[in-house]
Amino acid sequence: MPFTRPEPPYYAVIITSALDADHLDGYAEMDARMAELGRAQPGYLGRESRTDAGGRELTVLYYRDAESITAWQQHPEHLEAQRRGREQWYANYHIEVAKVERAYGFDRHA
Amino acid sequence: MPFTRPEPPYYAVIITSALDADHLDGYAEMDARMAELGRAQPGYLGRESRTDAGGRELTVLYYRDAESITAWQQHPEHLEAQRRGREQWYANYHIEVAKVERAYGFDRHA
């Protein structure tokens, strides 16, 4: 999903994760709910996400500033989703909060 | 490919790209050569990469510092690969250079 990014600086949250294929009860519903709720958070800019054939996911969420990320991390419904994720759905995840300092691109048809 | 990350701060280069499926002559060889050369650069830490069914790729390359990224961007063979990429292989790409400020994770089996 391409989206229009602002000029740097802005923030990226890089999430590498693997689901536990044997314990996905309730995951799809919660994932959809978190995506909906996450999109509505102040400072949310957009996302890029890819999942390979083995279920390993790489997602980058973009935010206006670090405060927006902290607020979303501490949202009560999101805290509950994180707790269930660790207990049940995820085999592992790794999350990095990074400040985008510069950006550039190329589009043949732009 | 999980790899052991150092404590922040370190750097991430987030690359969103789409290949032009009709113009991939020579791409696989150059991609393999750049991966080999890139891994050997000072300051290179590792990478995460996923490609979806439509050929859209999301890659994050990790580096010790911003100087390592600049040096790799200006490597003569890499400059030539970038030029051919714009001329021939890529429909589009977007590159972001970001400083990882904090990181955390979870592993059920750790």
Side-chain angles (χ1 to χ4, degrees), chain A residues 16-96:
Chain A
T16 315
S17 62
L19 292 167
D20 181 344
D22 296 330
H23 299 92
L24 294 182
D25 274 8
Y27 171 74
E29 295 82 348
M30 181 69 92
D31 188 49
R33 171 67 183 151
M34 286 305 112
E36 180 194 359
L37 200 60
R39 276 195 301 272
Q41 295 306 299
Y44 175 80
L45 298 174
R47 76 200 294 262
E48 295 282 353
S49 188
R50 308 283 187 275
T51 304
D52 71 11
R56 297 183 321 134
E57 193 176 342
L58 178 60
T59 297
V60 185
L61 302 170
Y62 293 95
Y63 294 88
R64 182 67 273 178
D65 49 41
E67 292 69 27
S68 303
I69 297 168
T70 304
W72 171 233
Q73 285 180 323
Q74 296 173 353
H75 187 291
E77 260 192 83
H78 190 204
L79 284 174
E80 170 65 11
Q82 293 171 58
R83 188 188 63 72
R84 290 190 63 189
R86 285 188 298 270
E87 278 187 12
Q88 184 186 347
W89 300 313
Y90 283 101
N92 60 69
Y93 62 70
H94 191 264
I95 297 177
E96 292 159 314

Side-chain angles (χ1 to χ4, degrees), chain A residues 11 18 55 69 100:
Chain A
Y11 272 77
I69 297 168
V100 177

Side-chain angles (χ1 to χ4, degrees), chain B residues 81-92:
Chain B
Q82 293 171 58
R83 189 188 64 73
R84 290 190 62 191
R86 285 188 297 270
E87 278 188 11
Q88 185 185 348
W89 300 315
Y90 284 101
N92 59 70

Side-chain angles (χ1 to χ4, degrees), chain B residues 23-40:
Chain B
H23 299 93
L24 294 182
D25 273 9
Y27 172 73
E29 296 81 349
M30 180 68 92
D31 188 49
R33 171 67 182 150
M34 286 304 113
E36 179 194 0
L37 199 60
R39 276 194 302 270

Side-chain angles (χ1 to χ4, degrees), chain B residues 21-85:
Chain B
D22 296 330
H23 299 93
L24 294 182
D25 273 9
Y27 172 73
E29 296 81 349
M30 180 68 92
D31 188 49
R33 171 67 182 150
M34 286 304 113
E36 179 194 0
L37 199 60
R39 276 194 302 270
Q41 295 305 299
Y44 175 81
L45 298 174
R47 77 198 296 263
E48 296 281 353
S49 188
R50 308 282 187 276
T51 304
D52 70 12
R56 297 184 321 135
E57 193 175 341
L58 178 59
T59 297
V60 185
L61 302 170
Y62 293 95
Y63 294 89
R64 183 69 271 178
D65 49 40
E67 292 70 28
S68 303
I69 297 168
T70 304
W72 172 232
Q73 286 180 322
Q74 297 174 352
H75 187 291
E77 259 192 84
H78 190 204
L79 283 174
E80 170 64 11
Q82 293 171 58
R83 189 188 64 73
R84 290 190 62 191

